Every structure is written in structure tokens, then in C-alpha cells.
């Protein structure tokens, strides 16, 4: 399979998850499908397969220790596609977290939709936007419960 084909298929695989988050956030299967099937399982299998199938094919100077090494590694289209799948899976998972968290704290879904769109396009920027709205709603900057010893 070509890297272009895998890239395209994976884009199509995550899109239904985003549609569910925007249009059916309270459907009983939305979060389960995204957080157990699409993001970690399907995308994880594709990622691991791509990455490890290319483990012996790293371009000269390719690696993860510097921007030059990452750039060299991503000159391999399969490793670049694996990197893109990493973004697709994690951004979708973050979107699911935003929806789940917003339902817990009573944040209107209409306000969350722009966060989801920004998360879809620009991952961390959408999460930052969601955090800002969350802090305004809860008047609490703490997102996670402290770990207990």
C-alpha cells in the first residue's frame, strides 16, 4: 500500500469521529467508539504497522533528537504518514476528552463546537481554547485531580 493511500484512508477513518463529536455528542456510543475503537485501536494498529515496517529504513541522519533528524526521518513518506496518524489519533482523542469533560461540568455543547473545530485543525490551540472556556465556567484552573499517595 502506498503512503498516500494510507494517509487518505486514515483521514477518512477519523472524520466520522469528529462528526459524532459535533453532532451526536450525547449518543451513548460516541465517546466509546472514539476512545476505544477509532483513536487508540484502529489508528494505533496503522501507526505501529507503518512505524515498525520502516524501522530499518530510516533515512541517513533520521531520528528524533533534533529538528534536522526529524526532518530527515520524515523524508520517508511512510514515516511522515505515521507522524500524521499520530496527530489524527491524538487530536481526535483530545476532542473526545473535551466533549466528555464539558458534559461533566455542564458547559454548553454550542460553546464546545468551536473548540472541537480548532482542535481538529490545530490540536493544541483547540485544547487551549477549551481550557480557557473551562476555567471561565468552573472558576478553577485545575483540570485533573491531584494524585494521591
Amino acid at each position: 500500500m502506498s503512503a498516500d493511500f494510507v494517509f487518505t484512508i486514515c483521514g477518512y477513518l477519523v472524520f466520522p469521529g469528529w462528526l459524532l463529536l459535533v453532532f451526536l455528542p450525547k449518543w451513548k456510543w460516541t465517546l466509546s467508539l472514539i476512545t476505544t475503537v477509532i483513536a487508540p485501536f484502529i489508528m494505533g494498529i496503522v501507526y505501529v504497522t507503518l512505524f515498525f515496517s520502516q524501522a530499518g529504513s530510516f533515512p541517513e541522519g533520521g531520528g528524533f533528537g533534533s529538528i534536522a533528524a526529524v526532518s530527515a526521518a520524515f523524508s520517508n513518506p511512510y514515516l511522515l504518514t505515521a507522524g500524521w496518524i499520530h496527530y489524527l489519533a491524538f487530536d481526535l482523542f483530545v476532542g473526545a476528552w473535551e466533549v466528555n469533560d464539558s458534559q461533566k461540568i455542564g458547559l454548553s455543547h454550542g460553546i464546545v463546537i468551536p473548540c472541537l473545530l480548532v482542535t481538529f485543525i490545530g490540536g493544541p490551540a483547540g485544547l487551549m481554547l477549551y481550557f480557557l472556556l473551562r476555567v471561565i465556567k468552573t472558576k478553577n484552573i485545575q483540570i485533573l485531580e491531584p494524585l494521591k499517595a
Side-chain angles (χ1 to χ4, degrees):
M1 247 185 278
S2 75
D4 283 331
F5 180 75
V6 175
F7 179 94
T8 300
I9 292 299
C10 287
Y12 288 136
L13 286 173
V14 298
F15 198 67
W18 286 105
L19 291 175
L20 288 171
L21 289 175
V22 171
F23 296 109
L24 294 172
K26 293 184 179 183
W27 182 47
K28 68 179 183 175
W29 297 107
T30 294
L31 294 175
S32 294
L33 283 171
I34 292 166
T35 62
T36 61
V37 178
I38 299 172
F41 188 71
I42 294 173
M43 302 307 276
I45 287 173
V46 176
Y47 175 83
V48 167
T49 301
L50 279 177
F51 188 82
F52 286 107
S53 73
Q54 300 300 305
S57 303
F58 261 60
E60 181 73 30
F64 300 104
S66 69
I67 191 70
V70 171
S71 181
F74 282 176
S75 70
N76 175 323
Y78 289 96
L79 293 175
L80 179 59
T81 301
W84 182 245
I85 290 167
H86 183 279
Y87 279 109
L88 291 175
F90 275 82
D91 288 353
L92 181 60
F93 195 85
V94 167
W97 179 85
E98 291 170 3
V99 166
N100 185 56
D101 187 69
S102 69
Q103 291 172 356
K104 286 180 183 176
I105 65 169
L107 193 58
S108 165
H109 188 65
I111 294 172
V112 176
I113 290 173
C115 301
L116 293 173
L117 297 175
V118 176
T119 301
F120 175 67
I121 295 167
L127 181 59
M128 178 188 67
L129 178 59
Y130 177 76
F131 279 170
L132 290 173
L133 293 175
R134 188 185 199 286
V135 167
I136 291 167
K137 168 72 175 171
T138 64
K139 297 175 181 37
N140 182 358
I141 197 161
Q142 188 168 338
I143 303 298
L144 299 175
E145 294 293 321
L147 295 175
K148 295 181 179 155

